[in-house]
């Protein structure tokens, strides 16, 4: 209910499954400061099935996207206005692991931190018809991903009955203090990148990719073990053959996850960022306003961490 597997397309841009039936995209709602950790096992995909050429992972924010490869034209479906949110540098990486044409044949973990109440559509989208059968058979059983939603609870306010109160500490950086030292601005400011290398202030969600699965979801392997054991029992009872065994059909061991750092030029900012960094209109003003401090739900200055990527959550 939190992940959409997109493998078909209809004429009006909506989703279809391979058998032609309609597919309703799943929607994941998060309150401000909640963190959704989605762990996706891509180790069993064919060795020559390549990320961005044959399939991709997309995160859509507060909108309903068109189906993959739908041709948008002027005046077409409103879904054409819905574009995928930028993902961490890892997903643009052209590094190739031994035996593969990319570095995505591993367990991928997305961490999405909500900065306000949001609705997310998280998709795995097929882009190439040659892999219909492989794509469908791999994800059909819906056992290749796990979801963990974390709600901040570092401390509770007295007389607070709401168990989702989301009280948390924040880190505050101020222009005056940084200029007085002086310090360079952090390399993990809240920003998102667009396709044309345009960088904009991020005030809705932060998307990270953890290369340490246990940090993002410490219960992941327990859940996988319980799930596989239950499936083994069910399949043996129903006479579906021997117990399930997750072996690498490419003859290789699992790829050890590693971090992929952002390009320095993409994350470094001048002092003028305080005046130009946030272009969001404030109040009734049509023009953006400069700001003197920034409150963050993560630690500034700590980026490219194996367990957290660029945003080490204070509450997580």
């Amino acid at each position: 209910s939190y992940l959409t597997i997109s493998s078909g397309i209809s004429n009006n841009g909506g989703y279809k499954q391979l058998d032609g039936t309609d597919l309703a995209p799943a929607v994941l709602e998060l309150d401000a400061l909640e963190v959704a950790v989605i762990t996706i096992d891509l180790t069993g995909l064919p060795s020559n099935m390549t990320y961005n050429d044959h399939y991709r992972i997309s995160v859509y924010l507060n909108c309903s996207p068109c189906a993959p490869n739908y041709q948008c034209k002027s005046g077409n479906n409103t879904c054409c206005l819905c574009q995928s949110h930028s993902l961490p540098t890892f997903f643009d990486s052209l590094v190739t692991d031994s035996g593969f044409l990319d570095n995505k044949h591993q367990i991928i973990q997305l961490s999405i931190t909500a900065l306000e109440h949001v609705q997310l559509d998280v998709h795995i989208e097929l882009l190439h018809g040659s892999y219909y059968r492989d794509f469908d058979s791999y994800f059909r059983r819906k056992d290749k991903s796990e979801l963990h939603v974390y709600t901040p609870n570092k401390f509770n306010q007295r007389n607070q009955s709401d168990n989702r109160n989301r009280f948390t500490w924040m880190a505050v950086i101020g222009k005056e203090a940084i200029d007085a030292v002086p310090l360079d601005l952090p390399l993990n400011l809240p920003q998102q990148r667009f396709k044309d290398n345009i960088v904009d202030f991020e005030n809705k969600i932060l998307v990270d990719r953890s290369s340490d699965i246990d940090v993002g979801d410490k219960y992941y392997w327990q859940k996988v073990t319980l799930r596989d054991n239950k499936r083994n029992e069910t399949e043996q009872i129903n006479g579906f053959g021997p117990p399930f065994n997750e072996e690498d059909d490419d003859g290789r061991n699992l790829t050890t996850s590693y971090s992929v750092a952002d390009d320095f030029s993409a994350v470094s900012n001048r002092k003028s960022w305080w005046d130009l960094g946030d272009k969001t209109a404030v109040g009734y003003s049509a023009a953006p306003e400069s700001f003197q401090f920034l409150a963050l739900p993560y630690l500034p200055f700590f980026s490219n961490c194996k367990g957290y990527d660029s945003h080490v959550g204070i509450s997580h």
Side-chain angles (χ1 to χ4, degrees):
S1 60
Y2 58 88
L3 188 65
T4 301
I5 308 301
S6 308
S7 56
I9 183 172
S10 66
N11 292 331
N12 64 358
Y15 290 92
K16 294 282 187 180
Q17 300 186 87
L18 290 181
D19 60 6
T21 58
D22 291 331
L23 172 64
V27 177
L28 174 62
E29 289 198 36
L30 295 178
D31 286 327
L33 301 180
E34 286 190 319
V35 181
V37 180
I38 300 176
T39 309
I40 307 171
D41 184 357
L42 301 178
T43 58
L45 289 177
S47 58
N48 58 346
M49 191 171 181
T50 308
Y51 189 82
N52 264 342
D53 289 338
H54 305 134
Y55 76 102
R56 69 185 175 207
I57 296 173
S58 298
V59 176
Y60 298 98
L61 176 64
N62 296 330
C63 63
S64 298
C66 298
N69 292 331
Y70 178 67
Q71 299 299 313
C72 289
K73 299 178 182 179
S74 178
N76 261 8
N77 203 309
T78 55
C79 67
C80 295
L81 301 176
C82 184
Q83 299 296 317
S84 176
H85 192 279
S86 61
L87 297 181
T89 300
F90 169 79
F91 293 92
D92 297 325
S93 171
L94 299 178
V95 173
T96 58
D97 291 335
S98 176
F100 298 112
L101 299 177
D102 61 16
N103 61 348
K104 308 301 187 292
H105 285 73
Q106 56 178 283
I107 297 175
I108 304 294
Q109 190 171 83
L110 278 177
S111 177
I112 305 173
T113 303
L115 302 178
E116 62 179 34
H117 181 86
V118 295
Q119 290 186 335
L120 302 174
D121 282 31
V122 183
H123 293 232
I124 303 178
E125 300 171 328
L126 180 67
L127 304 175
H128 198 290
S130 297
Y131 292 91
Y132 270 134
R133 186 181 298 274
D134 295 313
F135 188 86
D136 186 54
S137 62
Y138 187 71
F139 290 110
R140 178 181 292 276
R141 302 176 79 163
K142 301 181 180 180
D143 60 354
K144 303 304 179 186
S145 66
E146 293 289 342
L147 170 68
H148 174 64
V149 176
Y150 179 82
T151 300
N153 58 357
K154 284 299 182 185
F155 60 89
N156 293 332
Q157 196 175 63
R158 290 184 179 181
N159 302 321
Q160 177 59 253
S161 60
D162 184 2
N163 61 1
R164 300 180 67 194
N165 52 63
R166 293 174 282 122
F167 289 109
T168 185
W169 300 101
M170 304 285 277
V172 178
I173 58 173
K175 180 180 185 299
E176 182 178 345
I178 286 183
D179 289 346
V181 176
L183 286 175
D184 289 334
L185 285 167
L187 299 181
N188 63 343
L189 291 169
Q191 300 180 129
Q192 68 162 313
R193 301 185 309 276
F194 296 94
K195 292 181 179 179
D196 299 328
N197 292 324
I198 298 174
V199 178
D200 200 1
F201 191 86
E202 179 56 81
N203 49 24
K204 291 183 171 60
I205 60 173
L206 301 171
V207 184
D208 293 284
R209 174 255 172 183
S210 172
S211 55
D212 188 334
I213 304 302
D214 294 329
V215 174
D217 184 356
K218 64 181 179 181
Y219 302 111
Y220 173 73
W221 295 110
Q222 296 179 33
K223 290 185 288 187
V224 169
T225 300
L226 290 172
R227 181 192 68 203
D228 290 346
N229 287 342
K230 182 177 180 179
R231 180 172 57 186
N232 288 341
E233 294 174 1
T234 301
E235 292 191 350
Q236 289 184 77
I237 292 174
N238 294 331
F240 290 145
F244 173 77
N245 186 14
E246 186 74 40
E247 292 184 351
D248 182 13
D249 60 357
D250 298 297
R252 302 177 66 255
N253 293 325
L254 293 178
T255 299
T256 301
S257 295
Y258 50 85
S259 301
V260 176
D262 294 315
D263 184 84
F264 179 77
S265 63
V267 293
S268 60
N269 289 277
R270 301 175 183 272
K271 292 181 179 180
S272 59
W273 183 84
W274 291 103
D275 298 316
L276 305 174
D278 187 1
K279 299 179 177 61
T280 306
V282 178
Y284 294 102
S285 173
E289 297 181 5
S290 61
F291 51 98
Q292 300 297 313
F293 70 92
L294 192 64
L296 304 169
Y298 61 88
L299 298 178
F301 298 102
F302 292 87
S303 57
N304 194 33
C305 297
K306 187 173 183 180
Y308 296 92
D309 201 3
S310 293
H311 304 103
V312 181
I314 296 175
S315 66
H316 190 193

